[in-house]
Amino acid sequence: LKIIRAKMVSAGKVSSHVNSLRYQTINEALGAIKELKVLGREQLFIDKYRNNAQLYAKSETLCQLSPSV
């Protein structure tokens, strides 16, 4: 039970941190949309967001598996 609780706490911290990174990436992209378009760097931010979204989904899944622990 202690191991599961520790993993869930860790997953919660990861989830919170990665969610912040997702929003930071969106804000950076929106703030620099003209430059991104001109330089053709849209994919860089798409990839960065996708990676953070996948990490967020994994950690949230772990947190949701056992909410009563």
Side-chain angles (χ1 to χ4, degrees):
L1 188 61
K2 288 183 181 182
I3 294 170
I4 294 171
R5 184 172 293 160
K7 285 188 178 195
M8 289 182 62
V9 168
S10 177
K13 289 178 182 178
V14 168
S15 178
S16 179
H17 177 69
V18 174
N19 198 38
S20 296
L21 292 176
R22 287 188 324 143
Y23 283 102
Q24 179 181 349
T25 301
I26 290 171
N27 285 330
E28 289 174 2
L30 290 175
I33 193 74
K34 288 181 184 177
E35 292 87 354
L36 290 173
K37 288 288 200 181
V38 169
L39 297 173
R41 299 246 171 112
E42 301 98 329
Q43 194 61 45
L44 174 77
F45 280 88
I46 291 169
D47 293 343
K48 187 176 177 181
Y49 181 83
R50 181 180 292 124
N51 290 338
N52 288 330
Q54 288 173 344
L55 288 172
Y56 176 74
K58 287 178 184 178
S59 61
E60 278 296 300
T61 300
L62 183 58
C63 287
Q64 297 299 320
L65 287 176
S66 183
S68 62
V69 174

